[in-house]
Amino acid sequence: MKFLVLTLISNGPDPVTGRTPSPNARLHRVVENAVQAEELGFDGYAVGERHERPFFSSAPPVVLSHIAARTSRITLFTGVTTLSLLDPVRAYEDYATLDHLADGRLELIIGKGNGAAQAQLFHVTPEDQWDRNAEGYELFRRLWREERTTWEGPFRPSLADAETWPPPRQQQIRVWHGSATSKDSVELAARYGDPLFSANVTNPIEPYAELIAHYRERWVAYGHDPVDALVGAGTAGFHLAKTSQQAVEEFRPAFAHRLALAERFGLPVVFPTVEDFVERSSALIGSPEQIVDKVLRYHGVFGHEAMHLHLDGDGLTPRRQREMLEQFQSDVAPALRAAVPSRPLTAPVPPDPDDARPSEGDSP
């Protein structure tokens, strides 16, 4: 199994200290967390995309480019790229450029986006968001593969023998389709033979299991080999300690903070208590043995080969966060890697001779 760390770069009062980081401090902590994830042996680091309060993740290519400059091995992900909101040409230019700066260690997770502000900022509505997402991906996919593109669709202005630069570092890039509650993303992934990444965050396991099963059915219906279907899954929370009692008590302030945010923004409360959250959600809160058991239980239903830990450090000191990640790598990851074979993620592309960077002092 492969392990990613995910951030949506949410920002607000810390559940323990009550202090709200400055935007500058919050964004720099994201970069330091990615550097730490690589140092500790995680496979990937993902940055989401949101366009409303309380998130600072409106420009993932910018954040990931800075992370690319500070790392050398870890695979960089988006989680998700909201193609329903973006001009596919502009998105291609951003990510093809990032693909070079990351030396080809980039994978994308795309989706239609989430949040009410997108209708106001981008004039995308619930009625057209899925059509925009499908059109955006069709064009983005062609731009990545073609030297010149002629294209016409209902939303974006047409292209006639258009060139887009730079060409990407990877001739083909792995694109996952983020799936939460709709069959539209599942259908799109199966149609193109792409992997699926289930959100697996807001609800108990049943609706996500249903969508993953539907993905595998549609995969076969589109003529793909069932063996090639690839699934990833998220987690609703992460807190690792020596005992379940310690983990729950340490996580309790963060959970109370989540409930307060849900009430503030008028969101439905699916898990009313921290005990219910630990029991019925995908959250990994407990001892190493409990976390291994829970992941394997979900794997028995999903058959997933990759998972993310949603960890922004809320309520944790940097030292405590590092302890948890170190313990995950020493006491959890080895057991899961042994139990769940997985296909490789994108690795750095070996340089060509022409890729040699000028040394300091060389003339341009």
Side-chain angles (χ1 to χ4, degrees), residues 31-266:
V31 176
E32 295 306 322
N33 284 347
V35 172
Q36 178 177 259
E38 175 173 275
E39 178 187 343
L40 295 178
F42 283 86
D43 300 292
Y45 192 86
V47 175
E49 181 177 338
R50 293 289 183 93
H51 296 273
E52 61 187 330
R53 185 187 298 268
F55 303 100
F56 290 158
S57 52
S58 57
V62 179
V63 178
L64 287 168
S65 291
H66 193 37
I67 292 171
R70 295 284 308 278
T71 58
S72 60
R73 300 182 308 278
I74 196 167
T75 301
L76 305 181
F77 282 80
T78 59
V80 302
T81 295
T82 55
L83 279 180
S84 65
L85 312 182
L86 306 176
D87 179 354
V89 174
R90 178 74 255 190
Y92 164 81
E93 292 172 335
D94 285 343
Y95 286 110
T97 302
L98 172 57
D99 194 35
H100 283 281
L101 294 174
D103 293 320
R105 52 192 171 96
L106 175 66
E107 298 194 19
L108 301 180
I109 307 175
I110 68 163
K112 57 87 178 172
N114 201 348
Q118 64 188 38
Q120 178 183 4
L121 292 174
F122 299 96
H123 296 278
V124 174
T125 69
E127 290 72 32
D128 66 16
Q129 60 187 354
W130 286 112
D131 291 336
R132 288 179 179 273
N133 183 63
E135 176 183 293
Y137 181 52
E138 177 188 350
L139 178 53
F140 181 91
R141 180 185 174 91
R142 287 187 54 190
L143 293 170
W144 200 277
R145 289 163 168 76
E146 298 175 356
E147 293 185 5
R148 293 178 176 271
T149 302
T150 297
W151 178 89
E152 186 173 350
F155 297 108
R156 198 216 179 269
S158 60
L159 299 174
D161 199 29
E163 286 186 292
T164 45
W165 287 83
R169 186 71 175 85
Q170 303 175 78
Q171 290 186 347
Q172 292 192 19
I173 187 171
R174 180 183 282 167
V175 178
W176 304 68
H177 295 251
S179 167
T181 58
S182 172
K183 290 183 177 179
D184 292 83
S185 55
V186 170
E187 185 73 20
L188 197 64
R191 173 186 166 193
Y192 284 106
D194 293 332
L196 184 76
F197 214 106
S198 172
N200 192 36
V201 168
T202 307
N203 298 297
I205 191 172
E206 290 80 11
Y208 305 115
E210 180 180 344
L211 285 174
I212 291 172
H214 182 69
Y215 165 69
R216 295 185 187 278
E217 292 171 3
R218 297 302 298 156
W219 179 275
V220 173
Y222 278 109
H224 306 303
D225 188 335
V227 175
D228 295 331
L230 178 59
V231 173
T235 55
F238 172 65
H239 199 101
L240 178 59
K242 292 182 179 179
T243 68
S244 61
Q245 293 82 2
Q246 178 187 350
V248 170
E249 290 309 311
E250 288 181 352
F251 185 75
R252 196 177 294 277
F255 181 78
H257 182 63
R258 289 188 179 203
L259 286 184
L261 285 178
E263 181 178 352
R264 176 184 173 188
F265 291 104

